[in-house]
Amino acid sequence: MAEARLPKRVDAVKLVEVNQRFQAKIDTESLTRLREAVEDCEAIVECDIEFMRDQEGHRVIQGSFSTRVSMVCQRCLGLVAIPINSHFELGLVFDDEQAKQLPRRLEPVEIEFEGLLDLWGVIEDEILLSLPSFPTHAVNECHIKQPEPETNNTDIKRPNPFDVLAKLKQK
Ligand SMILES: [Zn+2]
């Protein structure tokens, strides 16, 4: 089966009316803001997106995506692979006034007058929002171990080279 690519720009209003669902992928080469935010994109972005009206009649895009990126570990500065899996529910609006009327659970996304929407941009925004602000390895995989209480003890046991030198000078 050929891999379906997610359409880049869509007629969002029309897709809501036909209750369109996409199970598709986005090549990360095109997601320049994401590429700038991470060290590397390690996997294609897989999306499952549905255009619909919710029970209150709001135009909604809901869906999920998964991918994998590598980022700099903020503890050891090595690279760490970060799996990204997230779910979103967005309310499509034409202006700020409509955005204010959305229920809190729906994050507003503004569509252009003709109903067009930059779908890749929307997904890229959601991926950027789901990146960890302080990426780190798991503790047992990090090159810098958490400070251990034994460290000081071993330092005390080890002879101080200056003390040794002082003793030599006294002889
Ligand atoms: Zn680390």
Side-chain angles (χ1 to χ4, degrees), residues 73 75-76 137 142-143:
C73 170
R75 220 161 25 215
C76 72
H137 290 105
C142 194
H143 299 296

Side-chain angles (χ1 to χ4, degrees), residues 3 5 8 25-36 38 40-45 67-69 120 124 127:
E3 290 188 340
R5 289 286 178 274
K8 189 163 166 46
K25 305 178 186 210
I26 306 176
D27 287 314
T28 53
E29 283 79 40
S30 320
L31 304 181
T32 50
R33 289 178 297 141
L34 176 63
R35 298 198 74 88
E36 280 171 18
V38 300
D40 198 14
C41 294
E42 296 186 349
I44 202 162
V45 180
T67 187
R68 197 174 64 251
V69 299
W120 286 18
E124 188 171 26
I127 298 172

Side-chain angles (χ1 to χ4, degrees), residues 32-154:
T32 50
R33 289 178 297 141
L34 176 63
R35 298 198 74 88
E36 280 171 18
V38 300
E39 289 302 304
D40 198 14
C41 294
E42 296 186 349
I44 202 162
V45 180
E46 299 200 38
C47 310
D48 185 346
I49 299 165
E50 187 174 9
F51 289 76
M52 57 186 285
R53 277 193 193 267
D54 68 6
Q55 290 180 337
E56 295 163 307
H58 298 109
R59 292 186 177 95
V60 167
I61 313 180
Q62 67 171 20
S64 58
F65 55 83
S66 65
T67 187
R68 197 174 64 251
V69 299
S70 60
M71 298 180 79
V72 173
C73 170
Q74 297 303 298
R75 220 161 25 215
C76 72
L77 303 183
L79 289 181
V80 53
I82 310 271
I84 306 285
N85 297 288
S86 195
H87 178 268
F88 61 90
E89 193 170 7
L90 308 173
L92 295 170
V93 295
F94 283 98
D95 52 42
D96 289 349
E97 203 51 47
Q98 285 187 358
K100 282 178 200 160
Q101 290 165 9
L102 282 180
R104 276 174 176 236
R105 66 189 164 80
L106 292 176
E107 191 191 327
V109 168
E110 201 156 317
I111 42 184
E112 294 165 30
F113 181 70
E114 300 83 4
L116 294 175
L117 182 72
D118 173 8
L119 189 53
W120 286 18
V122 170
I123 303 298
E124 188 171 26
D125 285 344
E126 293 301 314
I127 298 172
L128 288 168
L129 286 171
S130 64
L131 293 177
S133 53
F134 195 81
T136 58
H137 290 105
V139 171
N140 59 343
E141 290 169 358
C142 194
H143 299 296
I144 291 183
K145 304 297 174 199
Q146 296 288 49
E148 292 167 31
E150 297 86 57
T151 316
N152 287 336
N153 293 339
T154 45

